[in-house]
Amino acid sequence: MISIEIPTIDNASLRNVLESIRVQTSQNYEIIVLDSSEGFVASDTAKEYGAKVIRERCMLLSARHVLHLNSRGEMALLLDSTRLLKRNAIEMLERSKDDMEIIAEREVGPGILRVAVDTDRMMAFRSAKREMTEAYVLPRFFKSSVLTAAFESLKGKLGQDFNRITGEDHKLIFIEAKRISSSMGMIDEPLIFHYGNNTVSGIFTKAVRYGLSARIASRYYPQVNVKRMRNTSGLGLGELISLFVLYAVQVSGSALGQIIGELS
């Protein structure tokens, strides 16, 4: 069985995500939702879809840990309330022979920088295929025992700061998971569709959050701040310009987050 583990801080797109799970061609899964929304408004929606619901206000890395502690599957899919599944995603994942799987994603959310975000995502996936040991893109599908061991190691190393991480959570999990296992595969077919906020303000706010978490985590994991360069060969001028804008917004937001992290 596959445990689908979903942290959420609002109810905005959760129903669409759960509906994409409900219509899967394989029903060999369980859903666990950790509701950290104001007033726990997402809980009723999650229960409508038969999900196990945990109500707890916590940061993202802690939320993923709590979700996994409450899972029963042999494999775990780390999802979000903004990521929808293709109808055959669970069926495809059931064929996995590896301890971790990187899954191709597409960006479909609103915002003027959506195309740039999607281009960056595809370049990262292409780069990862050449050098799978680096975190160009990160696994979302794990053997449960590997994920459990990764969380235990993270909690031991981060101490109280484990509960302060609300960005770079996947990178931290990957760093520890690849120490435990080198068994990692890639699924070329996009099985996940992300409805992110791709406005300038949305991307900037997310980058601040990631920068803050990176500053905290880098005290224990310096490699968190290592940025991998994408191969931009074959891109047109318009795509390059949009990527420049995207990266400028991300870098400025991350820098602000790093400053806040240094002062906290």
Side-chain angles (χ1 to χ4, degrees), residues 110-203:
I112 60 173
L113 290 176
R114 180 194 65 79
V115 174
V117 172
D118 195 46
T119 300
D120 178 68
R121 193 184 300 280
M122 289 189 290
M123 287 193 307
F125 191 85
R126 185 174 63 190
S127 299
K129 292 188 74 170
R130 294 196 306 270
E131 194 176 343
M132 290 183 63
T133 59
E134 298 296 338
Y136 286 96
V137 285
L138 303 167
R140 284 190 173 272
F141 190 62
F142 293 87
K143 187 175 182 180
S144 183
S145 58
V146 171
L147 190 56
T148 297
F151 277 126
E152 289 175 354
S153 185
L154 283 168
K155 280 187 67 69
K157 293 177 181 178
L158 290 170
Q160 291 300 313
D161 282 333
F162 182 89
N163 301 313
R164 300 176 62 202
I165 302 296
T166 187
E168 301 291 8
D169 51 302
H170 272 122
K171 186 177 287 188
L172 290 168
I173 292 168
F174 174 69
I175 289 169
E176 286 297 341
K178 73 176 182 178
R179 289 176 177 168
I180 297 161
S181 173
S182 60
S183 173
M184 184 167 66
M186 299 187 75
I187 298 176
D188 290 344
E189 180 181 348
L191 300 180
I192 297 176
F193 299 89
H194 181 233
Y195 281 79
N197 180 357
N198 295 311
T199 62
V200 171
S201 61
I203 290 171

Side-chain angles (χ1 to χ4, degrees), residues 86-104:
K86 189 173 181 179
R87 194 165 181 268
N88 66 338
I90 299 301
E91 182 180 347
M92 292 281 290
L93 291 171
E94 286 179 310
R95 302 172 189 169
S96 171
K97 304 298 182 184
D98 295 293
D99 290 346
M100 295 174 273
E101 289 283 357
I102 293 171
I103 306 168

